[in-house]
Amino acid sequence: MSTTTDTSRGLAAATAAFLIWGLLPLYMRALDAVPPAEIMVHRLLWCCALTLVILLLKGQLGRIGAILRQPGPAALLLLSALLISINWLVYVWAVSARHVVEASLGYFINPLVSVLLGVVVLRERLNRPQWVAVTIATLGVVWLTLQVGRLPWIAMVLAISFAFYGLVRKHVVVDAITGLSVETLLLAPLALGYLLWLGEAGAFGAHGAAIDGLLVASGLFTAVPLMLFAFGVRRVPLATIGLIQYLGPSLQLGIGVWLFGEPFTYVQGIGFGLIWGALAIYALDGLWRRRRPLAVAAPEAEGI
């Protein structure tokens, strides 16, 4: 597979992941009757079950043991599992507490953290239009943060935990399904212990059959975007991943304001407008750079 094709597939996978995450508040709102911590452990356990079934059907269950026998990768996957669990719990709580707009702010900040990690840790380089885009987006996020009038802890926790999750997963040489299976398997004993501690309150039937069905399906809505993200993050520069992530919070913002009726003032509109302007600059620069090689290659082809 060519590098261009591999990058294109990674870009498509990452985009699909952020689309699913952008629509996730609708799913979480349907689970309003369930405490956030209980939703989180159900997501983890059913995600674990789904990935184990997939590996079983593919005859690849042995990969889990191979990873667990390597202290380095196993430790990194435990770290990434803890990071994504924190992210899940805070996000579910934010939706249930009617803070979808602030949660979306977290995912607007998150790409900036990813870009910073890409430049500082991975030595990725940005061209001038990309730096302009990042600068404008930073101004937008700073403006939004200042208007909150307090430390936006929901946004900060979501941003930092997911950015570092992406960084850690980029350094683990493991396929998406196996990595996710190991992550959830490592935390499954804690999740099962929590449900046992809840007793009848955490048992199936406590919230009705419809809710039980949604809890089971949460494994699918958890596993699929994470597998897509893990597939994409290893094939696309982290700086690019960081900026693509604005798709998810844009959808979350729209859902929070237009469907859930959360407040959105003109002051917030200024900040979000700066961020969307930065995205436009980045997208146009990417389009120009993709078309330029074609324009150069065309005269050469004519001379053959």
Side-chain angles (χ1 to χ4, degrees):
M1 183 184 299
S2 69
T3 302
T4 301
T5 301
D6 203 32
T7 301
S8 297
R9 291 181 62 187
L11 188 61
T15 301
F18 295 122
L19 279 172
I20 295 172
W21 279 320
L23 298 173
L24 198 58
L26 298 174
Y27 194 89
M28 292 297 104
R29 184 58 62 87
L31 289 168
D32 253 359
V34 185
E38 190 175 337
I39 294 174
M40 194 275 286
V41 298
H42 272 285
R43 290 182 70 182
L44 189 150
L45 290 172
W46 292 113
C47 179
C48 181
L50 176 62
T51 55
L52 288 175
V53 169
I54 292 174
L55 290 175
L56 176 64
L57 293 176
K58 297 176 68 175
Q60 298 174 350
L61 273 177
R63 293 184 176 183
I64 295 177
I67 289 294
L68 293 177
R69 286 191 293 270
Q70 302 177 55
L76 286 175
L77 287 173
L78 176 59
L79 175 58
S80 64
L82 292 171
L83 288 167
I84 199 61
S85 295
I86 292 170
N87 187 274
W88 289 350
L89 180 59
V90 173
Y91 181 79
V92 173
W93 181 87
V95 175
S96 66
R98 308 306 192 254
H99 292 302
V100 175
V101 171
E102 184 172 341
S104 74
L105 172 60
Y107 289 109
F108 277 117
I109 298 173
N110 166 243
L112 298 174
V113 179
S114 294
V115 169
L116 180 62
L117 291 177
V119 173
V120 175
V121 179
L122 303 180
R123 297 294 188 267
E124 293 179 355
R125 303 182 68 176
L126 304 180
N127 61 27
R128 184 173 298 176
Q130 290 172 333
W131 274 118
V132 170
V134 169
T135 301
I136 294 175
T138 301
L139 291 174
V141 170
V142 170
W143 171 267
L144 288 170
T145 301
L146 291 175
Q147 300 310 309
V148 171
R150 59 176 174 80
L151 179 66
W153 71 268
I154 295 174
M156 298 303 298
V157 171
L158 290 175
I160 294 171
S161 61
F162 197 70
F164 274 91
Y165 173 77
L167 178 64
V168 172
R169 282 306 304 266
K170 195 173 181 69
H171 284 82
V172 182
V173 183
V174 61
D175 65 276
I177 299 176
T178 303
L180 182 56
S181 184
V182 172
E183 285 175 333
T184 53
L185 189 61
L186 287 170
L187 296 184
L190 291 176
L192 284 171
Y194 179 76
L195 289 182
L196 291 174
W197 178 76
L198 287 177
E200 292 184 1
F204 272 110
H207 305 290
I211 295 297
D212 288 345
L214 288 174
L215 287 173
V216 173
S218 68
L220 179 66
F221 285 96
T222 299
V224 170
L226 277 172
M227 287 188 290
L228 289 170
F229 175 75
F231 179 89
V233 77
R234 291 191 58 81
R235 292 163 174 80
V236 178
L238 197 59
T240 301
I241 288 288
L243 289 169
I244 296 173
Q245 288 179 31
Y246 283 118
L247 177 62
S250 295
L251 288 172
Q252 292 172 18
L253 173 66
I255 290 171
V257 174
W258 295 319
L259 296 184
F260 296 164
E262 294 186 16
F264 186 77
T265 66
Y266 78 94
V267 171
Q268 292 170 297
I270 293 173
F272 280 83
L274 287 170
I275 292 169
W276 289 326
L279 282 175
I281 293 172
Y282 188 84
L284 290 173
D285 174 68
L287 179 63
W288 181 81
R289 286 185 293 109
R290 286 177 65 88
R291 295 187 62 176
R292 187 181 180 187
L294 297 177
V296 172
E300 294 177 355
E302 291 174 0
I304 295 177

